[in-house]
Structure formats: structure tokens, C-alpha cells
């Protein structure tokens, strides 16, 4: 629920949205009592500003959705609303892009409006189909303002080669109607609910006779919503003289399952034989080979089913039998976001089609497994050698009893289970829309499957499958404006992934190894494309000599040497009683911070300890004399502790006045000498600091306004939360939500936004650090903590040195961070129940502190540990707002890269 854009602009609508999301989360709480380790956190988050793209294509047209790129082709064909484009596949932004404009006429649009259709969405020519027809021509179909047309495109010149022809049997009428189609040997196989209110249908449109699915006495398809189809050339190497088959993937209304589980929709796979010609008397112009079975994608131990199939990617194997189907599944409830990825094997699909049939005796009875005699030849099979031997060469020669059985028994009893009987991935709060899978060989010679999954909000998740589990390597924000990904396509030849959306098409490299600046970062990423060559993280494809490369996709831990480089600590001088932030940002959402003071781990970050550890650093509250010492920050990931930065902190009673430091000057000047007199003498009543120079980047709000807005927002939201909580508890609806925020694996509690950063360009890698500077935590006790700090650098505004910025991340250094020896058992990632072993979040004070005129807001909703789930979402949402605000306004910050 990245509703930040709107929130940014309209606090009141933000409140509404918040309210809504509170309710949604509360309502959604119920089905998600699942272990959190199933919900995979992307390791790296990259906002759109930091995403490296190879090319972007945009034009006056909108609603890019169909894409065609063949293995050896130089061109990427893209269908949009009212236009088809031919782009240079190696760089889609390269000029000139060839275009065919094909919009419905005004008269056509007028008639569309008369039909009661929406002239803002439906009364256009949305290109729904774009595929190769023969060696020289493509075939394209468009909705054409609710009156579909199809046309041939001459590929070479990229022009329509003739007048468009009737398309109503091949193309749906609307832009969003479920649809899938294939051209196989110049025959067109389509599946959709074509006309308004017509039954869904799987068809072969040419050559004659047109074949369809049956509606009586048994309807073969029930409100089917098609998401994909695939040809599997099972005739190749078949010992039985089998036919090629076309598989269809869809969601339909369930008619056979007893509705005890309350699910009305089910995911299905159906198939027909390519050579089917229909029956002669029975099943005339109907498929004689139609069979369907249920696709099961569920969490068996919770009896929790993902019933809606959203997308299917077909992964061909070395042999047709090795074909794999990767499906994105979702929930029936439209207001609840969740996705699961399940993988099926063709083998298990075939087994289901060879198993028992379901039967419905009469219209009133229920569907049960058919146990009677099955006619011979087996109903629903393709024509094979054994049938040919019996002089059954085509389906029209099949006996009537067989065809009559087919007509009444379209459904198989056996369900197709996902491989491993469980999803590869389960993801809350994300709706994946489209996916493509790339097979690539790792250094260990193992063939890894890398999944590229687009979300409904314009993000792309890249994940690698290792032993039946998906590790999400990164999440990339591809579009500034939230919009659904409408298609994902991979080209191994171009080493690119193409992603389409309503506003355009983006071309990305399959991997971006340079992003990982250290050996550990490279190894931790577990990206099978990437390996460490001793100096850099490189794409292994570019290296023929791989002997010097290291990679560990399986575990993400081995390969980097443990030698500890000399690490020069940075010096910090602070005044007694000040709050000190030692900065140490973690780029990985999977890493946990660990701090030591003079070699001893800082533990018990309770209220009294005076420490807070966040994902961006360590906060020492009201620093005491005896807290001087060497502070070292480590990041712990995959059980390996890596040194990030260390600080030599000296606590003084009084500090001399700081010299004026010009804005923009690197604060690292402070580091050059710990004894440099950078502080002015303290007075008992510190004067209010001069107003900080206005940030060049606060386009939206001035800091004051922002502050005021924060406060009012917080107040409003807090009030709402309380009201809602009371109401909720009163009604007795107290749902438990084990929700700890989106990236809450981190044991961070305090989070700060720093204002007054100087107008420096963010360093190259800052983009993926930013999401973590504010963290939200809701632990198992149900305590909500949202912490916000607003602060101007004490150096800059002439105040005292209170918060000490350190370097963000050593990634930006020339040299990799000194790797640390792997630790003996490191702290495990907190389990959902014992989130904060140190009791951190339970003891955050609810204080509103003011320091030198800069307010520090520390928000706390509850001590009692039985707060309502609404609070969770509240804290979460609030943090997201703050996060967003930080990105938009505070992005330029001191270059923290230099040591
Ligand atoms: C087409 O794009 C517009 C905005 O670009 C969007 O609002 C609309 O929902 C899109 N329609 C479809 C069918 O994707
Ligand atoms: C496509 O773009 C690449 C790189 O920009 C260029 O080298 C190539 O000639 C282009 N191909 C065509 C067919 O224009
Ligand atoms: C849609 O039709 C309405 C009349 O029903 C008209 O006022 C409006 O301008 C039309 N919009 C577009 C985009 O054509
Ligand atoms: C491909 O199909 C088009 C349209 O039917 C036809 O005009 C053309 O001759 C065909 N090309 C070949 C090589 O068969
Ligand atoms: C079936 O095909 C075989 C050879 O392929 C042929 O000999 C036979 O006559 C055909 N039978 C029918 C009924 O067409």
C-alpha cells in the first residue's frame, strides 16, 4: 500500500486512506496467521531515482500491454492503446521507433458510447493480441471501441498489409477482459469471454471448422478468467505418436467442490489437442479433447488456499515433459493484497488428466468422482498410434459413446499440486501481476531460475529459486507514478528484461552487479548473475575465466576472506547530556545492526541503558561521561558479522565553540582531528540556534510547515487510532496481527529523519539506503512504535554538536569494507513471537523532546502490550509517510562516503 503520493498532497485524504488501510489490515489479519519466515523480504530496495535502466519508451499512447520479442529478433514489438510500435530491442529508447497508429474512428467511438461503454477506458482500440503469423507477417487484434478487429502487419516495412478484418471471434471486446491467444502453425487458438455477457470459450478460429467449448448439458467453463496458454510440443519424440497440446490457465467459479471452505473461485489448467477436429455427430464443432483440473497453490499446514490465478509463465525444459509452469496466485478478496508463487510440472498435470473423472449425475446433485466404467478409447485423449491402428485417424472418427462421455466429464478428480506441495513464495501486502523466469547457470554449474515479478504498483521484484524457496534479491521501483505492471518479458540475447505499464515500457539489465560494492555485499546478494572477482562484483557472463570468481547462491555466505583490515575509527567529540547519533546505515533489509563499545556488545537497549539501535545508526541518549569509548558498528547477515564503521567517542563536560562551517562543506573536516576545537563554550541556557538555511529541496513544504504537518497528522492519526481502538475493543473484535511492518526483520527501534542536510548530491548508492532510515516496529507484544526525529545538524546551524553523522555505508568507499571473521553463533533473526529479545520496543519512552529548538518526536501508542491491530498499521503507515517525505525532501544529504 504505497499510497504515499496522495498522502503527501492531502493530509485529510491520507487520514482516510489510513483509516481504510487500518480496516483492511484488521480485516486481513485473520487469514494471515502464518509464520513470518514465509513472507520473504526483498534484500535490497531501490527507489526509482536509483534504478539503472537501459532504456525507457514512452509516447503519446498509453496502456502498453502486449509485447513480442522473438529469440533472434532485433525488434521489440509493443501494443498500446491505439498504436503498435517496433522498438530497437537493444535500446528501446533509440530512435526512430516505428509506429502504426490504429485508433477507432470517431463514429466507432460514438457507437461504443451508445452501447453504454466508458468513453474514457473502453471506447478505444486497445491492442490485445500481437504475435507472429508467418515468416513475413505479424497478426494483431484490437478491441476497436468494443468492436474487435484484427489485421496483418508486414514486418519488414512495419505497415498493415491489408484492411483490418473481423475480430469478434478472436479478441475480447474490453481492455481488461481475461484473454489468452496463440498462433500455432497459422491456426489461432484463443480463450476469453468474448462478447459482453457471452459465455467464456476456448476456440480454434481457423482453419474450419471453428471449435468451441460445450455449454450443455454440462458447461465446461464457468465465468472463466483466462491468464495464459501454452503450446507444448508433446509430439516431439513421443513413443505413442501423441499430438501437441495447448494448455490453458484460468480462474473460474468452482462448481464441484463442496463450498465448506467458502471459496467460490478455483484456479484451473485445461488442455486440448492441437489436431482436434471435433466430433462427427456428438460434439460437432466442439473439442473432443477438452479436460480440466484444479491447480492447487496453498499453505497446507494452514489449510489456506490461493484460489485466484493472476499470471502463468511457461518455462520450457530440454524435453517437452520437463516443462514447468510458474503461476502467480492471489486471494479472492479484492481488498486484501497477498501473492503466492507456485510451480507446477507438466508431468503432474498429465497425471491428473490420466486419472479419474468427476461426474455430476443430474443438475441437482453434487460433483463426485466417477467410479463407473470408462469407455475405450479413453475419453479426452489425443489421436495416438494405437487409435490410428484402429483406423481412428481423426477425432471425427471417435465413437459416440466416448464423445458423449467427454461431453459430460470435462473435470478431472485429481488436483494438480504445486511442486513441493507449497508455494515457492508467499508475500503479504504485495500483488504481483506479471512474471517472467530466466534460467541461468551459476558458478556452481547449477541452473538457477531467476524470477522477475512485476507488482500492481509498478515495482519489479527479482528473485532466485534455491531449493524450493525464493530469495528476493532486490525490489526496484520502476515508475515514479504508481501503476500496475502489465507485462514482463526477458531476452537472454539482449540480457534485458522489458516491463510494460500503462505509461510506458522500461528496459532493464538482467542484473546490476556493480551495485554491490564489497565482497560480502556481492555474496550476500545471492544473485546467480553476479560474482566477486577480488576487486569488484561482476557479471559472470562477461567472464570466460571464472576460476577467480566467488559466488554463493545457495547460502549467500561463503567466499569472502576474513582478514580484518586496519580500520581507522572516526573521532567524535560530544558534550555530556547531548543525544548522539552514530551513523551506520544498512543497505540490506535482511541485515541486523550490531554495536560494540570497546569490544563489548551493546545489550539491553532498554529505556535505562540510554541506547537505541536503528537501521541507520546508534543513538546515545543523554550521553554520560562514562560512555566514551570505541563504538563499532557491524552488520549481521547470513550469520556473518561485517564491520561497517567505528567511532572514537569522547564525552566532554564543556566544548569550545565550533568554527563556522559553510553549508556544503564536508563535515568530514571534523574528523581530521578529534581535538579540533569545533564547539563553542556551553552556556546554561543554550541560545536558540539560528534558523537553518532553507533546504533547496523542500519543494513541497517548508520545514516548518512540514513539522506542523507531522505534528497535526500525528495528532489526528493518533486520535483516530485511539478512537478506532476503543471502538474495536468495545465491539470485541480484537484481531491479532503479527505484523511488524514491512521490513521489520531489523531490530531497529529508533529512526530519525535528519533535516538540514547540505545540498550535496546523494552518492551513487544512496537510493537503496533510504527506505531504511525510518523503520517501523510492531513487536509481538503489540506495541507500536513510530519514531520521528527532526533535526538540523548542529554544526551547520551553529548549535552544539549533538547528532554526529557518520558514513552511511562503506560501499561507496573505494576499498571494500574490511570483512570480519564469521562469528560463532550470531543472534538469530527475531522470530515473530520474540521480536525484541532485548525488550527494546517495549520500553521506548513516550516523550516529546526539544533540543535547541529542534523538536524530537518520539511517538508511542501503548505500553500495555494489548493494543489493537489498528495501531500497527498506523505506525506502519505513519512511518511510510515519513519515509516518503524524507525521500522527497531530504534526499540530498552529506556525502557520507569518505572516511
Ligand atoms: C490506461 O491507462 C490509464 C492511464 O494511463 C489508466 O488510468 C487506465 O486504467 C489504463 N487502462 C487499462 C485498461 O489498462
Ligand atoms: C539498435 O540500437 C543499437 C544501439 O543503440 C544500434 O547499434 C543498432 O544499430 C540499432 N539497430 C537498429 C536496427 O536500428
Ligand atoms: C465522454 O462522453 C461524455 C458524454 O457522455 C462527454 O461529455 C465526454 O466529453 C466524453 N469524454 C471523452 C474523453 O470523450
Ligand atoms: C504470410 O501471410 C500473409 C497474410 O496471409 C501473406 O500475404 C504472405 O504471403 C504470407 N507469407 C508467407 C511467406 O507465407
Ligand atoms: C488412416 O490413416 C492410414 C495411414 O495413415 C490410412 O491407411 C487409413 O486409410 C486412414 N483411415 C481413415 C479412416 O482415414
Amino acid at each position: 500500500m504505497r499510497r504515499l503520493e496522495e498522502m503527501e498532497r492531502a493530509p485529510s485524504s491520507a487520514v482516510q486512506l489510513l483509516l481504510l488501510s487500518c480496516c483492511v489490515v484488521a480485516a486481513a489479519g485473520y487469514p494471515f496467521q502464518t509464520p513470518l519466515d514465509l513472507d520473504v523480504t526483498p534484500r535490497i530496495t531501490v527507489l526509482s531515482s536509483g534504478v539503472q535502466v537501459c532504456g525507457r519508451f514512452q509516447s503519446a499512447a498509453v496502456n502498453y500491454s502486449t509485447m513480442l520479442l522473438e529469440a533472434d529478433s532485433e525488434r521489440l514489438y509493443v501494443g498500446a492503446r491505439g498504436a503498435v510500435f517496433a522498438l530497437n530491442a537493444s535500446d528501446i529508447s533509440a530512435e526512430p521507433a516505428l509506429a502504426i497508429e490504429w485508433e477507432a474512428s470517431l463514429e466507432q467511438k460514438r457507437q461504443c458510447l451508445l452501447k453504454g461503454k466508458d468513453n474514457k477506458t473502453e471506447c478505444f482500440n486497445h491492442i490485445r493480441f500481437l504475435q507472429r503469423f508467418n515468416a513475413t507477417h505479424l497478426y494483431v487484434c484490437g478491441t476497436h471501441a468494443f468492436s474487435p478487429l484484427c489485421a496483418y502487419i508486414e514486418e519488414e516495412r512495419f505497415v498493415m498489409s491489408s484492411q483490418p478484418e473481423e475480430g469478434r471471434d478472436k479478441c475480447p471486446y474490453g481492455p481488461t477482459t481475461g484473454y489468452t491467444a496463440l498462433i500455432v502453425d497459422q491456426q489461432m487458438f484463443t480463450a476469453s469471454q468474448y462478447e459482453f455477457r457471452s459465455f467464456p470459450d476456448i476456440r480454434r478460429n481457423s482453419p474450419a471448422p471453428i471449435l468451441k467449448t460445450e455449454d450443455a448439458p454440462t458447461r465446461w467453463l464457468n465465468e472463466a478468467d483466462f491468464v495464459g496458454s501454452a503450446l507444448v510440443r508433446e509430439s516431439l519424440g513421443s513413443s505413442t505418436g501423441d499430438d501437441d497440446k495447448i494448455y490453458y490457465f484460468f480462474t473460474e467459479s468452482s462448481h464441484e467442490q463442496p463450498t465448506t471452505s467458502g471459496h467460490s473461485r478455483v484456479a484451473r489448467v485445461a488442455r486440448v489437442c492441437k489436431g482436434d477436429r471435433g466430433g462427427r455427430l456428438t460434439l460437432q464443432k466442439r473439442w473432443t479433447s477438452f479436460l480440466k483440473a484444479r491447480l492447487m497453490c496453498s499453505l497446507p499446514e494452514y489449510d489456506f488456499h490461493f484460489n485466484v490465478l493472476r499470471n502463468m509463465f511457461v518455462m520450457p525444459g530440454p524435453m517437452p515433459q520437463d516443462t514447468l509452469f510458474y503461476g502467480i496466485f492471489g486471494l479472492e478478496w479484492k481488498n486484501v493484497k497477498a501473492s503466492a508463487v507456485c510451480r507446477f510440472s507438466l508431468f503432474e498435470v498429465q497425471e491428473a488428466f490420466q486419472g479419474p473423472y468427476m461426474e455430476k449425475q443430474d443438475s441437482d446433485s453434487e460433483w463426485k468422482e466417477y467410479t463407473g466404467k470408462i469407455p475405450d478409447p479413453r475419453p479426452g485423449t489425443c489421436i495416438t498410434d494405437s487409435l490410428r491402428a484402429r483406423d481412428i485417424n481423426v477425432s471425427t472418427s471417435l465413437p459416440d459413446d466416448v464423445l458423449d462421455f467427454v461431453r459430460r466429464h470435462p473435470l478431472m478428480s485429481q488436483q494438480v499440486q504445486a511442486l513441493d506441495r507449497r508455494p515457492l513464495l508467499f508475500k503479504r501486502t504485495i500483488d504481483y501481476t506479471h512474471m517472467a523466469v530466466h534460467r541461468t547457470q551459476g558458478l556452481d554449474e547449477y541452473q538457477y531460475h531467476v524470477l522477475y515479478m512485476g507488482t500492481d504498483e509498478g515495482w519489479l521484484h527479482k528473485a532466485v529459486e534455491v531449493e524450493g524457496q525464493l530469495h528476493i534479491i532486490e525490489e526496484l521501483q520502476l515508475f515514479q507514478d504508481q501503476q500496475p505492471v502489465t507485462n514482463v518479458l526477458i531476452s537472454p540475447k539482449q540480457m534485458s528484461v522489458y516491463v510494460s505499464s500503462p505509461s510506458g515500457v522500461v528496459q532493464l539489465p538482467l542484473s546490476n552487479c556493480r551495485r554491490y560494492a564489497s565482497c560480502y555485499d556481492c555474496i550476500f546478494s545471492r544473485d546467480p548473475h553476479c560474482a566477486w572477482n577480488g576487486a569488484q562484483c561482476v557479471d559472470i557472463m562477461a567472464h570466460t575465466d571464472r576460476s577467480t570468481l566467488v559466488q554463493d547462491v545457495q547460502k549467500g555466505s561463503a567466499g569472502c576472506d576474513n582478514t580484518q583490515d586496519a580500520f581507522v575509527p572516526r573521532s567524535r567529540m560530544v558534550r555530556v547530556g547531548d543525544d548522539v547519533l552514530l551513523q551506520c546505515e544498512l543497505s540490506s533489509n535482511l541485515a541486523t545492526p550490531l554495536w560494540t563499545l570497546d569490544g563489548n556488545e551493546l545489550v539491553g537497549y532498554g529505556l535505562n541503558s540510554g541506547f537505541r539501535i536503528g537501521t541507520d545508526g546508534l543513538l546515545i541518549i543523554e550521553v554520560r561521561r562514562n560512555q566514551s569509548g570505541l563504538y563499532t558498528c557491524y552488520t549481521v547477515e547470513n550469520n556473518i558479522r561485517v564491520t561497517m564503521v567505528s567511532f572514537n567517542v569522547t564525552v566532554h563536560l564543556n566544548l569550545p565553540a565550533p568554527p563556522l562551517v559553510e553549508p556544503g562543506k564536508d563535515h568530514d573536516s571534523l574528523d581530521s582531528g578529534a581535538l579540533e576545537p569545533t564547539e563553542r563554550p556551553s552556556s546554561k541556557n543554550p541560545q536558540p540556534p539560528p534558523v537553518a538555511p532553507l533546504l533547496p529541496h523542500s519543494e513541497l513544504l517548508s520545514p516548518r510547515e512540514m513539522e506542523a504537518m507531522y505534528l497535526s497528522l500525528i495528532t489526528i492519526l493518533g486520535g483516530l487510532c485511539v478512537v478506532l481502538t476503543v471502538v474495536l475493543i468495545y465491539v470485541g473484535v480484537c484481531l491479532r496481527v503479527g505484523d511488524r511492518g514491512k521490513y521489520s526483520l531489523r531490530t531497529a527501534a529508533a529512526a530519525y529523519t535528519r533535516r538540514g542536510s547540505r545540498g550535496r548530491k546523494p552518492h551513487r548508492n544512496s537510493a537503496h539506503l533510504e527506505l531504511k532510515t525510518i523503520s517501523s516496529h510492531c513487536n509481538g507484544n503489540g506495541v507500536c512504535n513510530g519514531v520521528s526525529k527532526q533535526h538540523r545538524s548542529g554544526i551547520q546551524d551553529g548549535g552544539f554538536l549533538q547528532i554526529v553523522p557518520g558514513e552511511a555505508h562503506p560501499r561507496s568507499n573505494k576499498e571494500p569494507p574490511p570483512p570480519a571473521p564469521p562469528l560463532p553463533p550470531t543472534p538469530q533473526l527475531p522470530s515473530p513471537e520474540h521480536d525484541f529479545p532485548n525488550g527494546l520496543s517495549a520500553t521506548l519512552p513516550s516523550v516529546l523532546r526539544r533540543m535547541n529548538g529542534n523538536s524530537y518526536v518520539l511517538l508511542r501508542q501503548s505500553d500495555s502490550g494489548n493494543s489493537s491491530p489498528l495501531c500497527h498499521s498506523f505506525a506502519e503507515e505513519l512511518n511510510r509517510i515519513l519515509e516518503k517525505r524524507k525521500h522527497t525532501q531530504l534526499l540530498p544529504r552529506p556525502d557520507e562516503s569518505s572516511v
Side-chain angles (χ1 to χ4, degrees), residues 62-65 81 120-121 126 175-176 483-484 486 502-503:
V62 295
N63 299 127
Y64 300 84
S65 57
R81 195 180 83 179
K120 289 189 193 66
T121 55
H126 290 271
T176 55
Q483 52 187 307
T486 54
S503 77

Side-chain angles (χ1 to χ4, degrees), residues 570-576 578-580 582 623 628 647-657 670-671 673-680 795 800-804:
R570 314 182 63 179
S571 295
R572 296 295 181 226
M573 291 212 308
V574 294
R575 202 185 54 172
V576 165
D578 276 352
D579 287 358
V580 179
L582 301 177
V623 65
S628 297
F647 297 91
N648 227 333
V649 175
T650 321
V651 183
H652 289 256
L653 269 178
N654 288 307
L655 289 174
L670 281 177
D671 299 321
L675 301 174
E676 225 175 277
T678 53
E679 292 83 19
R680 65 176 181 189
I795 307 160
F800 296 103
L801 186 65
Q802 291 131 4
I803 299 255
V804 187

Side-chain angles (χ1 to χ4, degrees), residues 74 88 90-91 94:
E74 302 282 313
N88 183 336
S90 59
D91 177 8

Side-chain angles (χ1 to χ4, degrees), residues 467-746:
E467 287 175 358
Q469 305 251 317
L470 285 184
H471 161 73
I472 304 182
I473 297 167
E474 61 190 9
E475 58 174 348
L476 311 176
Q477 186 187 28
L478 300 186
F479 304 97
Q480 204 102 52
D481 299 323
Q482 228 177 65
Q483 52 187 307
V485 166
T486 54
N487 216 336
V488 181
L489 201 71
I490 287 170
S491 167
K493 184 187 173 201
Q494 306 289 352
M495 291 298 287
S496 291
V497 50
Y498 305 90
V499 183
S500 67
S501 78
S503 77
V505 185
V506 176
Q507 179 184 7
L508 299 146
L510 287 179
S511 63
N512 185 1
C513 304
R514 290 297 164 89
R515 179 170 8 257
Y516 310 112
S518 73
C519 180
Y520 276 112
D521 210 13
C522 190
I523 297 295
F524 289 160
S525 77
R526 299 172 69 188
D527 188 331
H529 299 109
C530 301
W532 186 255
N533 71 359
Q536 283 180 316
C537 195
V538 294
D539 192 326
I540 63 171
M541 298 290 187
H543 286 249
T544 40
D545 175 22
R546 298 182 174 181
S547 56
T548 58
L549 302 182
V550 287
Q551 183 187 62
D552 182 12
V553 182
Q554 293 287 331
K555 300 254 182 301
S557 55
C560 299
D561 69 42
N562 309 330
T563 55
Q564 178 93 45
D565 289 355
F567 209 83
V568 185
R570 314 182 63 179
S571 295
R572 296 295 181 226
M573 291 212 308
V574 294
R575 202 185 54 172
V576 165
D578 276 352
D579 287 358
V580 179
L581 173 66
L582 301 177
Q583 222 174 27
C584 174
E585 289 211 34
L586 308 187
S587 65
S588 166
N589 299 316
L590 304 181
T592 43
L594 188 150
W595 284 83
T596 60
L597 169 54
D598 295 329
N600 303 316
E601 194 178 324
L602 291 180
V603 285
Y605 318 110
L607 178 58
N608 303 324
S609 77
F611 295 118
R612 301 271 188 286
I613 292 190
T615 50
D616 52 356
L618 172 77
L619 177 69
I620 312 170
I621 296 165
E622 291 178 359
V623 65
R624 297 187 300 270
R625 265 321 277 271
N626 62 2
Q627 286 178 315
S628 297
L630 182 69
Y631 288 81
T632 307
C633 170
Y634 301 90
T635 158
V636 182
E637 189 165 1
N638 297 342
N639 286 334
I640 293 182
R641 187 159 110 170
V642 183
T643 317
M644 303 290 284
V645 62
S646 56
F647 297 91
N648 227 333
V649 175
T650 321
V651 183
H652 289 256
L653 269 178
N654 288 307
L655 289 174
L660 271 180
V661 180
E662 300 141 84
K665 194 179 170 200
D666 199 305
H667 63 262
D668 280 324
S669 57
L670 281 177
D671 299 321
S672 49
L675 301 174
E676 225 175 277
T678 53
E679 292 83 19
R680 65 176 181 189
S682 85
S683 56
K684 278 203 178 123
N685 292 314
Q687 291 152 12
V691 177
L694 261 191
L695 298 180
H697 298 276
S698 46
E699 297 114 8
L700 295 169
L701 291 167
S702 78
R704 282 261 163 255
E705 285 168 335
M706 211 171 81
E707 199 169 283
M709 210 181 107
Y710 276 12
L711 287 173
S712 49
L713 200 66
I714 286 162
T715 317
I716 294 166
L717 298 181
L720 271 168
C721 203
V722 168
V723 169
L724 281 169
T725 307
V726 168
V727 167
L728 208 80
I729 289 169
Y730 192 73
V731 174
V733 187
C734 199
L735 301 164
R736 257 201 65 224
V737 179
D739 194 336
R740 300 179 303 142
K742 197 166 164 212
Y743 300 120
S744 46
L745 286 176
R746 294 165 270 133

